[in-house]
């Protein structure tokens, strides 16, 4: 899979020399990895933590096979972003055992690339990186709505990270409903939705969860426009596809990985 760079008013110009990295984004439910070369995402894979970790051990052959299939060797420098320290330890152990040179990205490492108006160590690295990644394609006035295990809404204005909100993701909401209200029908957020009063319990649950998310996000973004002025809002994350038809914002995948790439390119040019 190849995803090329889209320029934003010529603000982002890819490097001309060959520059390749291996990026790892370790989340709460998935491990995503990508190989970038010359400002292009050439290879990508996403693995559920339940499929790659069995009995709390990393199934190393899955990553070995992916690296081998795409002819990625240990001369490629690795950059790792993680919000899951237990999984991070095993991924780092794997990469070290294969003699990769590894850079672990922490929030403080982004000082100089993105400005933050408060303690940068109090912000999740994924939120900073997806804001950085979005700026490659949408400029430095951008709001990222990342719909994963949690839903995060983050605003960057004039390259200053303003902060954001964290909400429960769809999977968390659905699982909570199943645990605390087991007598109710199972929620299937992938079905079609209509913004009209529902006539049965199943539709009422599905539409209620769906539209509370839609209207909540729209309300947040609308209030931020009133306070901060114009910016572009972009959707990303595994659940975002379900909302494209209702939300008017563009969808762009893998923004955290693109943020890792931008950080790596910055580090290459400044050190």
């Amino acid at each position: 899979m190849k995803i090329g760079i889209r320029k934003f008013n010529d603000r982002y110009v890819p490097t001309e020399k060959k520059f390749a990295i291996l990026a790892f984004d370790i989340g709460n439910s998935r491990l995503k990895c990508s190989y970038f070369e010359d400002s292009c995402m050439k290879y990508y894979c996403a693995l559920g933590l339940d499929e790659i970790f069995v009995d709390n051990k990393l199934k190393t052959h899955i990553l070995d096979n992916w690296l081998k299939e795409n002819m990625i060797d240990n001369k490629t420098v690795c950059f790792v972003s993680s919000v899951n320290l237990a999984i991070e330890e095993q991924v780092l152990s794997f990469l070290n055992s294969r003699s990769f040179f590894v850079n672990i990205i922490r929030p403080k490492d982004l000082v100089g690339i993105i400005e933050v108006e408060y303690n940068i160590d109090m912000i999740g690295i994924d939120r900073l990186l997806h804001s950085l990644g979005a700026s490659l394609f949408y400029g430095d006035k951008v709001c990222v709505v990342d719909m994963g295990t949690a839903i995060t809404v983050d605003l960057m204005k004039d390259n200053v990270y303003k902060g954001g909100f964290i909400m429960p993701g769809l999977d968390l909401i659905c699982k909570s409903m199943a645990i605390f209200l087991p007598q109710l029908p199972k929620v299937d957020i992938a079905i079609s939705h209509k913004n009209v009063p529902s006539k049965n319990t199943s539709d009422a649950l599905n539409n209620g969860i769906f539209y509370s998310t839609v209207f909540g996000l729209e309300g947040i973004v609308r209030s931020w426009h009133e306070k901060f002025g114009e910016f572009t809002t972009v959707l990303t994350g595994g659940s975002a596809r379900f909302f494209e038809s209702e939300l008017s914002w563009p969808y762009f995948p893998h923004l955290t990985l693109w943020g890792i790439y931008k950080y790596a390119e910055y580090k290459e040019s400044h050190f």
Side-chain angles (χ1 to χ4, degrees):
M1 182 170 99
K2 294 185 180 181
I3 303 176
I5 288 292
R6 300 179 194 173
K7 291 185 182 179
F8 183 86
N9 295 335
D10 293 326
R11 294 184 189 181
Y12 178 65
V13 181
T15 54
E16 293 182 1
K17 67 177 182 178
K18 183 175 179 179
F19 176 65
I21 69 159
L22 187 57
F24 288 84
D25 172 20
I26 305 172
N28 291 303
S29 59
R30 293 196 298 171
L31 166 64
K32 288 167 278 188
C33 41
S34 181
Y35 174 80
F36 289 87
E37 186 178 288
D38 291 336
S39 304
C40 182
M41 182 184 286
K42 294 187 68 174
Y43 309 116
Y44 167 82
C45 75
L47 302 163
L49 298 187
D50 55 350
E51 67 176 296
I52 196 170
F53 290 92
V54 178
D55 297 327
N56 295 318
K57 291 185 179 180
L58 175 65
K59 297 172 72 173
T60 57
H61 71 278
I62 296 177
L63 287 177
D64 275 326
N65 289 341
W66 182 77
L67 293 169
K68 184 177 180 180
E69 287 169 7
N70 295 299
M71 295 183 288
I72 303 169
D73 60 30
N74 59 12
K75 295 183 180 66
T76 306
V77 178
C78 295
F79 290 82
V80 177
S81 163
S82 174
V83 297
N84 191 325
L85 293 179
I87 304 301
E88 175 189 318
E89 288 181 3
Q90 296 202 40
V91 172
L92 293 179
S93 176
F94 165 78
L95 293 172
N96 288 327
S97 70
R98 303 307 189 266
S99 300
F100 280 94
F101 183 81
V102 182
N103 293 271
I104 307 166
I105 309 173
R106 304 299 187 202
K108 64 182 180 181
D109 297 323
L110 301 184
V111 173
I113 310 175
I114 185 172
E115 295 181 49
V116 178
E117 295 183 324
Y118 47 95
N119 186 352
I120 196 169
D121 289 320
M122 299 298 291
I123 310 165
I125 186 63
D126 55 332
R127 298 170 63 196
L128 293 169
L129 285 170
H130 67 205
S131 298
L132 197 61
S135 72
L136 281 172
F137 305 97
Y138 299 97
D140 60 5
K141 299 178 178 67
V142 65
C143 175
V144 178
V145 177
D146 192 339
M147 307 186 77
T149 305
I151 297 173
T152 58
V153 190
D154 295 288
L155 178 64
M156 185 168 72
K157 196 79 188 292
D158 300 321
N159 207 49
V160 177
Y161 177 82
K162 296 292 187 179
F165 289 166
I166 302 176
M167 305 156 56
L170 294 179
D171 192 46
L172 286 176
I173 295 172
C174 294
K175 285 180 178 178
S176 296
M177 297 287 282
I179 292 171
F180 294 105
L181 299 169
Q183 71 276 16
L184 293 179
K186 183 179 178 181
V187 177
D188 182 6
I189 206 68
I191 67 172
S192 60
H193 301 87
K194 292 182 179 180
N195 186 19
V196 296
S198 303
K199 301 186 184 304
N200 60 67
T201 302
S202 180
D203 287 348
L205 278 171
N206 279 286
N207 287 326
I209 293 172
F210 183 83
Y211 283 105
S212 64
T213 303
V214 168
F215 297 142
L217 292 172
E218 287 180 334
I220 291 167
V221 171
R222 182 169 56 251
S223 69
W224 288 0
H225 274 297
E226 293 171 357
K227 183 174 183 179
F228 296 101
E230 289 303 309
F231 53 82
T232 301
T233 301
V234 57
L235 286 169
T236 194
S239 300
R241 287 292 194 186
F242 297 128
F243 294 87
E244 280 188 284
S245 61
E246 284 290 335
L247 295 169
S248 59
W249 310 318
Y251 169 82
F252 201 98
H254 319 315
L255 285 178
T256 301
L257 289 168
W258 279 108
I260 294 173
Y261 179 80
K262 184 171 181 178
Y263 166 77
E265 191 179 59
Y266 175 88
K267 186 173 181 180
E268 172 74 7
S269 63
H270 286 73
F271 298 97

